């Protein structure tokens, strides 16, 4: 089946389309779930690996996938150059299968590639794959009547309705709920995005008591 993304082409060059510095979200995640032996992370739509490599360098056990073979080759190359190991593989967010549990599952700039009929199942899957006490960190571009479609909007991408992302986590604790409007320089043409961000934690207990909070 033909890829519904231009990233395979955009990742063909030697240099890194997204650079090599980790996103701010990685520093946030390190504070929320500190690294340690056996603490597992999944990066969904890892691109060329800058965030996955950073997380591996912190000491997490990292799994990462992207639909592009060029992105995964570059992720493996960056991991090797940084002397870390990553379980990096090619997969589609719409039908990936991993028989593992994670303490952190995150994805930046990618869940808008979910097909409409795959969204509910995706959240059920990632929530089930998260260990109690673990977190999910997701962002997604949302539609606003006052913001034009970006010039590099990809074939498989879909704008989400504001707040939809948050609606999948009523049974988890919200660590951060946010909506931001910002300028993006991808493709070399500055443009505006609106993005919803959710960081939610799977509560480690079935029932919370007064004593739990007084501890
Ligand atoms: C905006 S980029 C973000 C990349 C990376 N998370 C980062 O921040 O550097 C979106 C990524 O989603 C990937 N992608 C597009 N469609 C996908 C799909 N169906 N399944 C998995 N990844 C996909 C692209 O290849 C690209 O790497």
């Amino acid at each position: 089946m033909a890829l519904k993304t231009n990233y395979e082409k955009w990742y063909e060059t030697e240099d890194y389309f997204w650079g090599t510095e980790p996103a701010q979200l990685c520093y946030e995640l390190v504070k929320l779930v500190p690294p340690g032996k056996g603490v597992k992370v999944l990066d969904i739509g890892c691109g060329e690996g800058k965030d996955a490599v950073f997380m591996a360098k912190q000491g997490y056990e990292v799994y990462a996938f992207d639909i592009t073979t060029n992105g995964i080759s570059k992720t493996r190359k960056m991991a090797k150059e940084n002397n870390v190991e990553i379980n990096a593989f090619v997969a589609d967010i719409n039908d990936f299968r991993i028989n593992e549990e994670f303490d952190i599952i995150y994805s930046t700039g990618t869940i808008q590639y979910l097909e409409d009929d795959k969204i509910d199942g995706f959240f059920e899957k990632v929530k089930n794959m998260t260990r109690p006490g673990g977190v999910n960190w997701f962002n997604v571009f949302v539609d606003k009547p006052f913001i034009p479609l970006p010039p590099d909007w990809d074939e498989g991408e879909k704008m989400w309705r504001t707040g939809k992302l948050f609606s999948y986590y009523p049974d988890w604790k919200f660590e951060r709920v946010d909506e931001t409007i910002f300028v993006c320089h991808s493709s070399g043409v500055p443009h505006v995005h609106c993005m919803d961000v959710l960081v939610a934690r799977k509560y480690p207990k079935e029932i919370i008591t007064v004593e739990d909070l007084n501890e």
Side-chain angles (χ1 to χ4, degrees):
M1 206 173 73
L3 281 190
K4 289 186 183 162
T5 176
N6 287 306
Y7 279 101
E8 190 72 287
K9 194 167 66 228
W10 294 338
Y11 291 162
E12 265 171 6
T13 54
E14 277 281 307
D15 57 333
Y16 286 87
F17 187 88
W18 297 111
T20 52
E21 290 302 312
Q24 196 55 38
L25 76 98
C26 296
Y27 298 97
E28 194 176 346
L29 288 171
V30 169
K31 281 191 201 142
L32 284 167
V33 182
K37 197 169 161 18
V39 182
K40 281 194 195 166
V41 171
L42 174 62
D43 182 342
I44 296 176
C46 64
E48 303 153 297
K50 61 178 174 45
D51 298 335
V53 167
F54 173 85
M55 296 302 270
K57 283 169 80 177
Q58 304 312 300
Y60 295 103
E61 193 177 320
V62 178
Y63 290 66
F65 74 83
D66 196 277
I67 203 163
T68 61
T69 48
N70 287 328
I72 291 305
S73 302
K74 287 167 100 173
T75 298
R76 289 182 181 142
K77 181 166 170 267
M78 198 193 287
K80 200 167 173 199
E81 285 165 2
N82 283 274
N83 295 315
V84 288
E85 284 197 9
I86 294 181
N87 302 290
F89 55 98
V90 175
D92 186 338
I93 191 172
N94 289 290
D95 64 7
F96 72 99
R97 277 165 214 266
I98 310 173
N99 198 14
E100 298 284 346
E101 287 193 329
F102 295 93
D103 302 279
I104 298 174
I105 298 181
Y106 70 90
S107 179
T108 178
T110 305
I111 65 169
Q112 72 277 2
Y113 286 96
L114 279 165
E115 289 157 17
D116 289 343
D117 62 344
K118 299 287 166 56
I119 296 177
D120 291 358
F122 170 81
F123 285 106
E124 199 184 328
K125 181 155 60 176
V126 291
K127 288 175 76 179
N128 280 334
M129 284 165 59
T130 307
R131 290 174 173 152
V135 302
N136 286 181
W137 194 113
F138 291 113
N139 62 18
V140 71
F141 298 116
V142 292
D143 197 15
K144 296 287 178 189
F146 48 86
I147 298 181
L149 207 62
D152 57 348
W153 195 241
D154 212 358
E155 194 190 332
E157 290 184 291
K158 289 205 178 83
M159 282 283 173
W160 282 32
R161 190 180 170 83
T162 284
K164 176 171 172 158
L165 171 60
F166 313 139
S167 73
Y168 285 97
Y169 287 84
D171 49 343
W172 286 30
K173 177 177 181 296
F174 285 11
E175 299 286 2
R176 181 148 84 87
V177 183
D178 206 4
E179 183 167 279
T180 49
I181 293 177
F182 59 96
V183 175
C184 176
H185 293 269
S186 67
S187 76
V189 183
H191 53 274
V192 178
H193 282 298
C194 183
M195 185 167 247
D196 280 4
V197 182
L198 175 70
V199 189
R201 192 186 293 272
K202 188 173 198 169
Y203 208 76
K205 300 187 96 173
E206 272 179 35
I207 300 290
I208 186 170
T209 64
V210 173
E211 286 71 32
D212 289 327
L213 296 183
N214 283 338
E215 269 179 8

